[in-house]
Amino acid sequence: QVQLVESGGGLVQTGGSLGLACQASGNIFIIYKWTWYRQAPGKGRELVAFITKTGVTSYADSAKGRFTISGDNAKNMVSLQMNSLKPDDTAVYYCEAEIRLSGEQTDANYWGQGTQVTVSS
């Protein structure tokens, strides 16, 4: 099976920076796409950014210019560098990966457990 483990959340002041990471392990053949989502209290899950295996990236408007997503195909991991953080960025951040397992013919999506990011004003 596959496990996604996130790290790097925490408490930071407005204007500060945090880096999140997500490591995938298991019987992985290839990871096609990584996506970071977040969910603030009382709100729905929101896409923050994604990166494909070939390095194509996309960001939510709220993340553009402040967040940077990067992937390491060899290490099966993704990072999210968050700068100029605001209280509105407070949420649980989740990584998701679209993965083809070794010996399989189809892809599946896997999720991390989530990591809390809190930005104080």
Side-chain angles (χ1 to χ4, degrees):
Q1 262 296 359
V2 172
Q3 189 174 21
L4 271 58
V5 178
E6 300 166 10
S7 59
L11 174 65
V12 66
Q13 292 185 334
T14 296
S17 298
L18 276 178
L20 306 182
C22 183
Q23 175 74 61
S25 61
N27 194 25
I28 297 169
F29 175 65
I30 193 170
I31 298 177
Y32 289 103
K33 183 180 178 183
W34 288 98
T35 305
W36 284 99
Y37 292 86
R38 67 185 184 187
Q39 187 165 17
K43 296 187 178 181
R45 192 164 291 187
E46 171 191 22
L47 186 149
V48 177
F50 71 76
I51 184 167
T52 69
K53 176 183 176 295
T54 58
V56 174
T57 60
S58 181
Y59 296 88
D61 287 344
S62 59
K64 286 178 182 176
R66 300 188 300 126
F67 294 3
T68 302
I69 188 170
S70 58
D72 188 327
N73 293 331
K75 295 182 178 180
N76 288 336
M77 66 180 300
V78 67
S79 300
L80 183 70
Q81 179 62 38
M82 304 183 293
N83 299 326
S84 302
L85 284 162
K86 309 172 183 178
D88 284 350
D89 295 316
T90 295
V92 178
Y93 285 70
Y94 299 89
C95 63
E96 181 212 35
E98 181 182 340
I99 298 174
R100 174 78 59 89
L101 300 181
S102 298
E104 297 291 329
Q105 301 299 315
T106 58
D107 310 328
N109 292 80
Y110 297 86
W111 290 82
Q113 79 284 0
T115 186
Q116 177 70 47
V117 172
T118 303
V119 185
S120 63
S121 57

